[in-house]
Amino acid sequence: MTVVLGGGISGLSAAYYALNNPRIGPIIVLEASNRLGGWIRSHELSNGIIFEKGPRTIRCLGLAGKNTLNLLEDLQLTNKLIPIKSDHPSAKNRMIYSRNKLHLLPNSFLSIIKTNTLLNRSLASFLVKDLIAPMVRKDDESIYSFTTRRIGKDIADYLVSPMICGICAGDAQKISVNFLMKSLFEAEQKHGSITKGLLKQLFKKKNVNNKIEYKSNLAKRADTEKWVVWGLKGGLEELPRSLGNNIQSQGVDIQLNSHCEKLFFQSNHVELTINGKARKCSHVISSLPAKTLAKLLEEQHPDLAEQLRSIPMVTVAVVNLQFADNVLPMNAFGFLVPPGENLPILGVIFDSCIFPKDSSTVLTVMMGGAWFEKYFGKDPSDENLLNIAIKQVKEILNIKKEPIAFNVAILKDCIPQHVVGHAQRLNHIRDYISSRRIPLALCGSSYQGVGINDVILSAKEAVSEIVQHSNELKN
């Protein structure tokens, strides 16, 4: 029997992929809360408007993006899919709020070579800086340091820093470039500059006749129609909901309100303490946050627990707002705020532009992250967060009206921070588990990436690790 810890998107995905491997045996999913889905949570109002408390769109790029589209097709969710193509305003128009003004980011070749209002120079001018900047041998560094070195402090401050706020609500001066922007870092380390490295990669791809094989019609359609992101009718929670229904129909035992308090690995089985009671299984797939898993392991494996605890987390407040009419200055995905502006918000998403429902405006305000306690203290009230969100939105977007509906959610420790040294830390964790032949596989946002595509793919890889472990035991 294999136990999956956590009923979020990665845990459910792990159970789904495990069903295709008969050697894994019966599967149980243990979820500590009273619902499935983790941080993906869609709240539908009585008028049909949907407030997303977590993510609302998923990217299509790369193998991980195609893998998720394959999953979507397998779950027969194609009829609920809402594709956002490259010519959609929310795909083309993204903004940065700085110096009391919204700046539209370059979205065409002409806008790249023109002087940008945000930077006071063309974005293309970074090529010159990158080509003449000396290459520095490093194992890792912060994204902020790397960008400043190779491209310029202005791009680090006004483009990269707010982008990191949008990706992981984190501080670019702490996040690892060798993890989050590995291809750019390797381009410099191997070829001397980002530009040279990317050009060589592009030239190599053009000279390799590598025909893409699509496992699903949906992935092929996404490429052909140039999708950028996609969402689901009824909200993104449809994905974990469908996953849960699918695996239950195939015999997976999902147990809610089941809190794992301890793990102990014996020579031929695993002992778990669930709600005070002892249980046994052959393998464990953990989708829990690293620091939560650390507590379960620290008695037997204190060194592993220490490595897991060293992956920090941040808390994000999400405030959803609905205004009666269209109050947006332009159709766009939204805007991000550079940390240097010293404002208590990370950015605002224009939900009603991405997924129009009626004539009203729906916004999601992201707040806190790496700066949560700085602006809000340790235990802010919902009312305080709501008032701050409304004030910021009204001032920045010049909105005169009051919202007609709202929701406030504090997502405690919701996003892991892949800080400098993360890749090395992961290697230590993997080596520890592998060298001791511990029947434990890890998936979820603490390890391979914080995006939905990342955690789903990490679940697939975790199942492969369990299968490999089972084969080694039998041999």
Side-chain angles (χ1 to χ4, degrees):
M1 180 178 73
T2 296
V3 168
V4 178
L5 297 178
I9 188 65
S10 55
L12 295 173
S13 299
Y16 174 84
Y17 291 121
L19 286 167
N20 298 322
N21 291 274
R23 288 194 176 188
I24 289 181
I27 304 161
I28 295 177
V29 175
L30 301 178
E31 167 56 41
S33 74
N34 61 0
R35 61 175 289 275
L36 298 175
W39 300 117
I40 302 177
R41 193 159 194 171
S42 309
H43 176 62
E44 186 171 357
L45 306 183
S46 58
N47 57 7
I49 294 295
I50 292 174
F51 282 167
E52 293 284 11
K53 300 181 182 181
R56 77 254 314 119
T57 58
I58 300 179
R59 291 185 174 275
C60 306
L61 289 176
L63 293 175
K66 289 180 174 58
N67 179 68
T68 302
L69 288 169
N70 294 340
L71 174 63
L72 200 72
E73 190 164 77
D74 290 344
L75 294 173
Q76 299 181 346
L77 282 172
T78 307
N79 61 329
K80 292 188 176 182
L81 187 140
I82 307 172
I84 304 297
K85 301 178 183 179
S86 58
D87 59 353
H88 192 279
S90 67
K92 292 194 302 180
N93 300 329
R94 294 166 185 258
M95 296 178 288
I96 300 292
Y97 181 73
S98 176
R99 301 184 293 273
N100 301 314
K101 182 180 178 181
L102 287 169
H103 303 264
L104 184 65
L105 292 178
N107 56 19
S108 66
F109 177 76
L110 188 61
S111 61
I112 289 174
I113 62 175
K114 279 186 172 183
T115 298
N116 184 274
T117 60
L118 180 63
L119 303 170
N120 293 320
R121 64 178 173 126
S122 73
L123 201 57
S125 65
F126 86 87
L127 293 172
V128 177
K129 165 76 173 172
D130 175 55
L131 287 169
I132 63 174
M135 189 268 283
V136 179
R137 290 287 180 194
K138 292 194 174 190
D139 293 327
D140 198 2
E141 66 181 308
S142 74
I143 288 177
Y144 185 91
S145 170
F146 175 79
T147 306
T148 301
R149 255 195 328 105
R150 295 233 55 92
I151 306 175
K153 188 175 183 299
D154 54 349
I155 290 182
D157 285 331
Y158 296 112
L159 283 182
V160 172
S161 289
M163 181 185 71
I164 298 304
C165 290
I167 293 173
C168 62
D171 185 349
Q173 298 191 40
K174 297 179 180 178
I175 301 298
S176 163
V177 68
N178 190 28
F179 190 82
L180 197 57
M181 293 183 177
K182 189 175 182 67
S183 62
L184 300 185
F185 182 70
E186 289 183 343
E188 181 208 30
Q189 295 297 303
K190 291 179 179 179
H191 304 287
S193 79
I194 298 172
T195 308
K196 291 176 183 177
L198 295 182
L199 285 175
K200 287 187 178 182
Q201 288 179 22
L202 184 63
F203 182 77
K204 185 177 180 180
K205 286 181 181 179
K206 284 186 176 181
N207 284 274
V208 175
N209 185 19
N210 184 19
K211 187 177 180 180
I212 298 174
E213 293 184 6
Y214 296 98
K215 291 186 178 180
S216 73
N217 293 324
L218 207 55
K220 184 176 181 179
R221 186 181 152 202
D223 272 358
T224 302
E225 298 179 3
K226 297 181 179 179
W227 299 358
V228 177
V229 297
W230 54 268
L232 292 171
K233 296 174 184 175
L236 204 58
E237 196 175 347
E238 285 290 327
L239 179 55
R241 190 179 296 127
S242 295
L243 256 178
N245 292 336
N246 180 282
I247 61 177
Q248 273 191 308
S249 70
Q250 297 186 69
V252 173
D253 182 11
I254 298 178
Q255 299 179 12
L256 301 178
N257 301 306
S258 297
H259 181 62
C260 184
E261 298 154 351
K262 186 178 177 182
L263 288 175
F264 200 87
F265 298 95
Q266 301 284 14
S267 58
N268 59 353
H269 68 275
V270 186
E271 294 179 0
L272 306 89
T273 304
I274 310 296
N275 295 342
K277 296 181 179 179
R279 300 182 67 170
K280 293 182 180 180
C281 70
S282 57
H283 296 88
V284 172
I285 300 176
S286 174
S287 69
L288 302 176
K291 76 171 196 175
T292 302
L293 178 61
K295 295 177 183 177
L296 311 183
L297 301 169
E298 59 187 352
E299 181 180 322
Q300 185 183 19
H301 296 287
D303 293 339
L304 177 58
E306 184 179 353
Q307 289 289 335
L308 291 167
R309 268 194 297 268
S310 65
I311 301 174
M313 311 280 287
V314 297
T315 296
V316 176
V318 176
V319 178
N320 306 104
L321 303 171
Q322 182 190 12
F323 295 88
D325 303 307
N326 182 9
V327 294
L328 296 176
M330 69 179 299
N331 288 330
F333 188 86
F335 65 87
L336 294 169
V337 181
E341 295 295 319
N342 292 313
L343 293 180
I345 65 171
L346 301 169
V348 177
I349 299 170
F350 298 175
D351 297 85
S352 51
C353 177
I354 306 168
F355 305 122
K357 188 74 177 179
D358 53 25
S359 60
S360 68
T361 298
V362 180
L363 306 174
T364 300
V365 187
M366 302 172 294
M367 310 167 69
W371 303 271
F372 191 90
E373 287 193 22
K374 172 184 175 181
Y375 290 113
F376 313 121
K378 291 187 177 180
D379 189 26
S381 67
D382 287 359
E383 183 181 10
N384 182 40
L385 292 169
L386 176 63
N387 289 337
I388 292 172
I390 293 175
K391 179 177 183 293
Q392 292 296 318
V393 162
K394 290 176 73 174
E395 288 181 359
I396 293 172
L397 297 177
N398 194 28
I399 298 173
K400 306 300 181 185
K401 299 181 178 181
E402 296 296 323
I404 58 173
F406 59 84
N407 183 78
V408 179
I410 300 176
L411 311 183
K412 177 71 174 174
D413 291 340
C414 64
I415 306 181
Q417 302 294 285
H418 300 147
V419 297
V420 173
H422 185 73
Q424 294 93 327
R425 194 171 295 111
L426 281 188
N427 287 335
H428 288 313
I429 291 170
R430 290 194 187 101
D431 290 345
Y432 187 100
I433 293 171
S434 175
S435 64
R436 290 160 179 79
R437 305 185 76 178
I438 300 173
L440 169 68
L442 309 177
C443 61
S445 58
S446 290
Y447 310 106
Q448 300 295 346
V450 300
I452 292 177
N453 290 328
D454 300 318
V455 301
I456 291 175
L457 187 58
S458 76
K460 193 174 188 178
E461 293 169 348
V463 171
S464 297
E465 291 172 14
I466 290 295
V467 172
Q468 182 179 347
H469 186 270
S470 298
N471 291 339
E472 290 173 354
L473 290 179
K474 291 188 177 183
N475 295 332

